[in-house]
Amino acid sequence: MTDFIHRYEPAHDAGSPPLLLLHGTGGDENDLLGLGQMISPGSALLSPRGRVLEHGMPRFFRRLAEGVFDEEDVRRRALELGAFVADARKQYGIAAPIAVGFSNGANIAAALLLLKPDVLAGGILLRAMVPLSDPPKTALGGKPVLLLSGQADPIVPASNSAKLAALLSEAGARVDHKVLPSGHQLSQADVTLARNWIGSVEAEAA
């Protein structure tokens, strides 16, 4: 398997979609397990640790400054992550997962949707930014994406999250973009909205 330190928790309900949990800067493979269990208790959880270190803190790709990404590294790391997911699907016998990413993890999930759309079944992108200034033409074929932004987020400007929503919509995703009265950190509203959204995706699949 492509070399990512990771945690895997098997499904408790075969009808629940597997989740790919992608932590923010300084997190690890344990960070979002609780969130995954809260938003979809029956799902299999696949949670890798980012392989890039920034001052000792794990991330999924390099950045040149806050909000300024090393886009060559974004592309390379997204393809590595895609290969890991493909290997993990074979090893654990799971379907294409829905990515649940926070901050840096949401950004690599957005890059994965744009660069390797077949890897994911959809995404919950929490405090995400546009990952690539010149993304390839992509056909997302109606994949569901929930984008949750913070109105008072000091890291992600409102114009940037709106641009990401437009970019994914133009690529064919079914994007539900909500702006919450919060900053960069997650709130109970994020959990509730994500849980309800997963429930609607499950109901459609059934």
Side-chain angles (χ1 to χ4, degrees), residues 98-103 105-107 109-111 113 122-131 143-151 153 156-169 173-180 182 184 186 189-190 193-194 197-198:
I98 291 174
V100 179
F102 168 62
S103 193
N107 299 335
L113 281 165
I124 297 175
L125 309 181
L126 305 161
R127 312 301 185 267
M129 296 179 72
V130 174
K143 286 184 197 290
V145 175
L146 177 64
L147 180 58
L148 297 179
S149 307
Q151 194 171 26
D153 192 330
V156 185
S159 58
N160 192 294
S161 52
K163 185 177 176 186
L164 177 60
L167 187 65
L168 292 169
S169 294
R174 287 187 293 126
V175 179
D176 186 359
H177 183 203
K178 289 187 165 41
V179 181
L180 307 180
S182 61
H184 197 67
L186 299 182
D190 290 283
L193 287 165
W197 182 88
I198 284 267

